[in-house]
Amino acid sequence: MRDVATLRTSVRPPYAAYLRVYEPLAAFREPERSYWQGYAAARRGPAAVAGATALEEARRRLADLIAVPPVAVPEQESREAFVHEADGVVYLCPWRTRLRTWMALEELQELLPAPLLDAAVPARVRAQAEADWDRWRAQNPDGRPWILTETWNVPVRWFLLFGAEDREFEPGRWTDGADPDDQLGAAGANGPDEGAEEPAGGVKRRTAPVMRYRTSMAQARRRVARGYRVLRDTLDEGPMVAGVEEVGRWLEEFHPRSLVELDYGGLVDVIPEEGLAGDRSVEEVAEGIAALREGDGSRAGRSYRALTERWRRVQELQYAN
């Protein structure tokens, strides 16, 4: 099992979490399958990078956005992917940056006031992007992203897909050698984590912590289906029930032998390591669903309040200066 840990550098990863689907090579049709097979083979072995990183994607998009005029949406679809290998099987999660950028631009237009939006992405640039997306959707009616993104938060419905046994936490660690892209010093933007011991001598850098959950597609589908039934039977129609149903439909679009991953991504840079180590969000969601199933609304409410209060504190950091 191999993955890449994101290093703390001058270009910070977005403060976002990601829900990803990794499909086996068999899920892709030719000629795409052959391309991904070669792509993955080039990134295997001890000296190779196991697929591209979220930080690399962020750097490319930042370069596009600071261009004059800004490039709101890449002209070509990305040919990069995250690569994961487990039990001798190679899985890929294509970036599909162009598609995800169209989706993000649509969300941005709903969130920002017009003057601010015009300053960030001029109206004529947005109009061209929208026209391009309309054409793409007409040609690709079944197109869907392999990656869902949420900034400053992890949606409650995402936790429903995982169990405590799926958790992978790796604390940050000091390593030897300078990162050529690191302009912020050895410990990164926020300094070393409290209690971290910096090795003596030489140039040191500290890797970011890793916090993620991985499970099989079969398990994710079973959990979301069970959770949806409980929520539908015990709650009124609303964003929670609709959101769980939407995630379930999204999972149905992929190969049944895929893997599903929840990655805390750049949120590890705003949550203290002790908070990550003690995070029980998945268990709290499971406890809440179990309580609803048993008709114990008080216990379900306590689990939900504990979860939402903790993540509310993370969300409020976006307004800090």
Side-chain angles (χ1 to χ4, degrees):
M1 184 182 296
R2 294 193 293 271
D3 286 284
V4 179
T6 302
L7 296 176
R8 298 177 184 269
T9 70
S10 56
V11 178
R12 312 296 294 169
Y15 295 125
Y18 307 94
L19 187 63
R20 304 186 180 109
V21 170
Y22 288 76
E23 292 194 282
L25 280 172
F28 299 92
R29 298 179 180 177
E30 293 291 0
E32 190 176 20
R33 182 188 303 174
S34 293
Y35 170 79
W36 288 129
Q37 188 171 17
Y39 179 94
R43 286 153 180 80
R44 297 170 72 181
V49 175
T53 68
L55 183 57
E56 182 181 344
E57 185 182 29
R59 285 171 169 153
R60 295 184 189 182
R61 290 302 298 131
L62 180 60
D64 285 343
L65 290 173
I66 63 176
V68 180
V71 180
V73 178
E75 294 184 1
Q76 301 294 328
E77 187 54 273
S78 170
R79 301 281 281 169
E80 302 285 351
F82 297 104
V83 179
H84 176 67
E85 184 177 346
D87 299 325
V89 178
V90 176
Y91 299 86
L92 292 108
C93 174
W95 280 5
R96 292 297 190 266
T97 304
R98 194 176 192 223
L99 171 58
R100 289 166 51 224
T101 304
W102 276 321
M103 297 170 66
L105 185 59
E106 183 177 60
E107 294 176 4
L108 194 65
Q109 293 182 115
E110 298 175 357
L111 294 174
L112 296 183
L116 183 56
L117 184 61
D118 289 341
V121 186
R124 61 183 179 85
V125 175
R126 298 200 309 273
Q128 182 61 58
E130 291 170 8
D132 291 342
W133 193 18
D134 286 341
R135 282 194 297 272
W136 186 90
R137 283 185 291 192
Q139 297 168 0
N140 301 272
D142 297 325
R144 82 289 198 222
W146 276 254
I147 305 171
L148 302 182
T149 304
E150 186 77 19
T151 56
W152 294 101
N153 186 36
V154 179
V156 172
R157 59 187 178 275
W158 289 6
F159 293 120
L160 193 60
L161 281 58
F162 304 93
E165 68 277 11
D166 303 321
R167 186 175 186 270
E168 299 177 19
F169 172 63
E170 300 172 14
R173 64 185 185 279
W174 292 101
T175 62
D176 294 322
D179 182 349
D181 295 319
D182 193 348
Q183 305 296 323
L184 299 176
N190 299 320
D193 294 304
E194 186 175 348
E197 181 178 350
E198 177 180 357
V203 178
K204 307 295 180 183
R205 54 182 173 150
R206 187 170 173 79
T207 63
V210 175
M211 178 70 173
R212 63 179 167 233
Y213 290 82
R214 278 207 193 102
T215 191
S216 67
M217 178 61 76
Q219 280 279 42
R221 287 176 178 172
R222 277 195 292 269
R223 287 169 177 149
V224 78
R226 287 197 297 262
Y228 175 70
R229 284 195 296 271
V230 172
L231 293 171
R232 182 193 58 195
D233 293 342
T234 57
L235 301 181
D236 295 331
E237 288 292 333
M240 174 68 76
V241 177
V244 172
E245 181 180 18
E246 182 179 356
V247 169
R249 292 183 184 277
W250 179 67
L251 293 178
E252 291 295 332
E253 297 289 331
F254 298 97
H255 193 281
R257 295 188 182 277
S258 299
L259 301 178
V260 185
E261 174 187 86
L262 167 56
D263 182 0
Y264 278 37
L267 297 183
V268 300
D269 286 314
V270 293
I271 301 174
E273 282 201 20
E274 60 268 25
L276 293 171
D279 185 279
R280 295 186 63 253
S281 298
V282 164
E283 292 96 321
E284 286 166 343
V285 170
E287 289 169 6
I289 293 294
L292 286 175
R293 186 185 299 112
E294 296 164 8
D296 190 342
S298 296
R299 182 159 62 95
R302 287 194 298 271
S303 295
Y304 183 75
R305 284 192 295 273
L307 179 71
T308 55
E309 174 62 22
R310 185 168 60 256
W311 283 101
R312 182 186 60 80
R313 292 195 294 268
V314 175
Q315 286 181 289
E316 289 177 347
L317 293 174
Q318 65 184 302
Y319 304 111
N321 57 27

